[in-house]
Amino acid sequence: MTLEERRRVIPHAVRAALASVGMASALLLLKGFAAWATGSIAMLGSLADTALDLLASLVTLYGVKLAATPADHDHRFGHGKAEALAALFQVALISLSAAAILWRAVDRFGADGINEDAPLGIGVSLVAILATLALLAYQRRIIRRTGSVAIMADNVHYQSDLLVNVAVIAALVLDQYLGVRGADPAFGIGIALWLAFGAFSASSQAIDMLMDREWPEEQRAHFLDVAARQPGLRGIHDFRTRRSGSHQFAQFHMEVARDMSVADAHDVVESVEAALNRAFPKVEVLIHLDPEGHVDTDNPLVEADVTPHWFGKRL
């Protein structure tokens, strides 16, 4: 993606992130009042989820803006891992909220109190569902236009919020209208466990990014297949990949014929890079050139993967 293309794309992604922040802020105030008025544990869980939605949207906004920041002298590979650090901070808040809601819900079991003003809680949840549907539709339009990875993740996150709001409505109906007194704390426990699962998933992804986890095997194989189709390439070894925010990096040692001139070998490298850039426009590729059959066994940095690759398979 060229600099001019990024300048056209980023404002749309930023607007989508700002829309998420605005909606989450409005729903936070609305659900805060509803949780206070109804006394519902499920509504309290939904309130905590919305507060985390706001934080997640702010992180997304930060990430989208950070993606436009070029690499500098002190950060030659960019600033993508700041998203992982922010995600771990978010995970800590999610875990604390889930623990608090779980404690309150367990404490509520066996209590004689009932929820008040269930119509208010149901109405607020319906408003939240409609607002979330509108946001999802807007985000999908921005995703089709920009392909923003950050907005894609935010879109998936808000899809799960629909289930939370439906759970709140079910809890209030069962508790107040059908007399199932344990329904509200039961749904509160369910929401707390859902939040905890979300925290675990987010922490796993953040840790994978910080630890430079390799791409999925299917993506690695596709990358090697594209490279292997280029004429003049005799083999690939020491193939390594990683992800940093929305940026991806791939590096490998590429083998060419031993009797090839430097100029011809350079042309082969250029053709491989061009093909990979077309197939993987968001991946930064670093290629080290070797004569065919050469393996640098004296370098400990390449010991992890010295087996030659060809057409996506290890030889």
Side-chain angles (χ1 to χ4, degrees), residues 214 217 220-221 224-225 236-240 302-315:
E214 288 285 341
E217 195 59 37
R220 286 170 54 86
L224 290 171
D225 285 341
I236 290 175
H237 63 270
D238 191 30
F239 176 44
R240 302 180 183 187
V302 303
E303 289 181 359
D305 182 12
V306 298
T307 307
H309 294 75
W310 190 247
F311 290 96
K313 298 180 180 178
R314 296 179 181 231
L315 298 180

Side-chain angles (χ1 to χ4, degrees), residues 137-212:
Y138 176 63
Q139 286 181 328
R140 282 193 292 270
R141 183 159 62 89
I142 296 299
I143 291 169
R144 287 194 298 269
R145 190 169 186 175
T146 67
S148 171
V149 176
I151 302 302
M152 288 181 188
D154 207 37
N155 184 265
V156 173
H157 177 77
Y158 276 104
Q159 289 177 30
S160 63
D161 288 353
L162 294 175
L163 298 177
V164 175
N165 287 297
V166 170
V168 171
I169 293 175
L172 290 171
V173 169
L174 289 172
D175 184 89
Q176 186 151 331
Y177 295 112
L178 299 181
V180 183
R181 296 306 178 206
D184 182 52
F187 274 94
I189 291 175
I191 292 174
L193 294 177
W194 178 83
L195 289 173
F197 175 76
F200 173 77
S201 299
S203 65
S204 298
Q205 295 175 6
I207 291 172
D208 284 346
M209 183 182 297
L210 291 173
M211 295 297 292
D212 290 331

Side-chain angles (χ1 to χ4, degrees), residues 5 9 19 21-23 28 65 116 152 156 169 197 210 225 234 241 272-273 279 292 312 315:
E5 289 173 333
V9 165
V21 171
M23 191 199 76
L28 185 67
K65 288 187 174 182
E116 300 175 359
M152 288 181 188
V156 173
I169 293 175
F197 175 76
L210 291 173
D225 285 341
R234 298 294 182 87
T241 59
V272 172
E273 286 183 339
E292 185 177 8
L315 298 180

Side-chain angles (χ1 to χ4, degrees), residues 16-51:
L18 286 172
S20 298
V21 171
M23 191 199 76
S25 299
L27 290 180
L28 185 67
L29 295 175
L30 192 60
K31 289 184 178 181
F33 174 73
W36 171 77
T38 64
S40 168
I41 299 298
M43 178 58 74
L44 181 64
S46 182
L47 172 64
D49 183 59
T50 299

